[in-house]
Amino acid sequence: MKSEKITITFLGTGTSQGVPVIACDCAVCHSQDPKDQRLRTSILISTNEQNIVIDTGPDFRQQMLRENVQRLDAVVFTHEHKDHVAGMDDIRAFNFKQKEDMNVFATDRVQEAIKREFPYIFSENKYPGVPLVRLNTISNQPFDINGIEFTPIDVMHYKMPVYGFRIKDFSYITDCNYIPPKEKDKIRGTKVLVIDALRKEKHISHFNLEEAIALIKEMEVEQAYLIHISHLFGKYADEMPKLPDGIELAYDGLKLTI
C-alpha cells in the first residue's frame, strides 16, 4: 500500500453556506462558471482498494452521487461543525450495500457531538434502517486506515481545535486561523498543501488570502490549493491569474494524484 498511488478528489471547496449563497445577488453567486459553484468542504481519498472521506457535510449525498462512489470504507472527521458532519445520515446507503458498519474516525469531543446530533444512530433500541457506525477514537498521534497512515495536524479554528491531516506528501487543513509551531513541523516537507482561505478580508476563525499565502511560503511547498472559499473571495476566473506561482484555487471535482 505504501507505494500505491492515492487519488484526492475535492468533493466540495466552499464555506459553510456554500456558493451560491441563498438569496445573494452578488456576481459570484450568479456566475455560470461551474468553478464558482462550491459545495461544502470535503475530500475523497481513493486507492484501487478503498475510499475514505474526510467530513460528511450537508452536501455529502450529492457529492457521492456526482463522483459515482460505489463503496466507502471509512469517514474521518476534522471537527464537529455542522457543515462538516450534517450529512452523516447518508452513510446508511453504504451500510445497505456493503452489509457492514461504517468505520468512523474522530476525537472523543467530536464523537460526543455527533452523538448529540444523531442520537438515533447510537440508541440502544435502533429504529430499522438507521446508519450503522463503528467509532474509532483518534488523538494527536498517527493512525492507520487499511494501510494508509494519517498524521493529525492540530490547528485552531478561533477557539476550537480542528484536525488537519498529512498523508504521505499531502497535507490537508480546513477551518483554521492558527497553527502552532510544533504542528507546522508536521507539514514541512509536504509537496502539496491544501489550506483554507475564506476571503481577502481578515476573519475571526479562518485564514484570509494574505495569511494563507504567507503560510504556504513559510512551509516552502511545491504546490498549494486554497479551499473553504466564500462568495466574498471573487470569481475563479478573475482571481486565479492574481495568485503567486504554485498556488491555485481548488474547485469542486478537482482530482490530484499523490
Side-chain angles (χ1 to χ4, degrees):
M1 178 68 71
K2 291 183 184 300
S3 60
E4 187 173 5
K5 288 184 178 179
I6 297 175
T7 299
I8 306 293
T9 303
F10 290 81
L11 298 174
T13 56
T15 190
S16 59
Q17 292 182 295
V19 184
V21 175
I22 293 171
C24 181
D25 292 325
C26 80
V28 175
C29 288
H30 281 268
S31 171
Q32 297 304 303
D33 185 346
K35 293 179 179 178
D36 288 326
Q37 297 165 10
R38 302 179 182 278
L39 301 178
R40 268 59 74 95
T41 290
S42 173
I43 60 169
L44 172 67
I45 301 162
S46 304
T47 69
N48 290 333
E49 299 176 357
Q50 64 177 321
N51 290 315
I52 301 166
V53 162
I54 296 184
D55 291 335
T56 59
D59 306 310
F60 176 68
R61 173 182 173 275
Q62 182 178 351
Q63 292 162 340
M64 294 295 96
L65 290 170
R66 186 192 74 208
E67 298 299 331
N68 192 29
V69 178
Q70 295 295 307
R71 177 178 178 83
L72 186 62
D73 297 274
V75 174
V76 181
F77 284 117
T78 59
H79 66 298
E80 64 269 38
H81 276 166
K82 201 77 167 181
D83 56 318
H84 293 262
V85 304
M88 196 175 84
D89 183 84
D90 285 316
I91 65 170
R92 58 197 168 108
F94 295 109
N95 292 145
F96 300 156
K97 183 171 185 179
Q98 295 166 201
K99 302 188 185 323
E100 59 186 2
D101 294 2
M102 181 64 63
N103 274 306
V104 172
F105 293 79
T107 64
D108 284 328
R109 190 193 76 242
V110 173
Q111 289 181 34
E112 290 305 310
I114 61 176
K115 287 175 183 177
R116 292 193 300 269
E117 292 287 330
F118 304 94
Y120 57 92
I121 295 178
F122 302 97
S123 170
E124 275 190 37
N125 300 309
K126 292 181 174 59
Y127 192 83
V130 302
L132 301 174
V133 305
R134 183 183 301 109
L135 292 176
N136 298 268
T137 302
I138 62 175
S139 60
N140 196 4
Q141 297 293 328
F143 61 94
D144 183 277
I145 303 179
N146 301 326
I148 298 178
E149 184 175 89
F150 286 69
T151 299
I153 304 167
D154 194 5
V155 304
M156 293 303 296
H157 180 35
Y158 186 41
K159 295 183 179 180
M160 173 179 281
V162 169
Y163 273 174
F165 298 100
R166 178 167 177 171
I167 303 159
K168 294 187 174 182
D169 291 328
F170 172 82
S171 292
Y172 176 80
I173 300 171
T174 181
D175 292 61
C176 171
N177 70 324
Y178 174 72
I179 305 177
K182 66 179 181 178
E183 299 301 308
K184 285 182 180 179
D185 289 341
K186 297 177 181 178
I187 304 170
R188 297 186 196 281
T190 292
K191 292 181 180 177
V192 178
L193 172 62
V194 177
I195 188 74
D196 76 333
L198 186 78
R199 62 190 192 188
K200 295 175 184 176
E201 296 78 17
K202 199 164 179 63
H203 191 272
I204 192 171
S205 61
H206 289 273
F207 284 134
N208 66 4
L209 176 60
E210 181 182 1
E211 293 164 337
I213 290 174
L215 175 71
I216 291 163
K217 290 182 176 179
E218 180 185 353
M219 295 295 98
E220 298 181 330
V221 297
E222 295 178 11
Q223 182 66 50
Y225 294 90
L226 307 180
I227 58 164
H228 221 290
I229 295 164
S230 80
H231 65 148
L232 301 175
F233 195 104
K235 291 183 181 179
Y236 179 92
D238 294 338
E239 302 305 327
M240 267 290 290
K242 302 175 187 176
L243 295 176
D245 290 344
I247 302 178
E248 298 183 25
L249 293 177
Y251 55 86
D252 294 16
L254 173 65
K255 296 180 187 295
L256 310 176
T257 300
I258 59 172

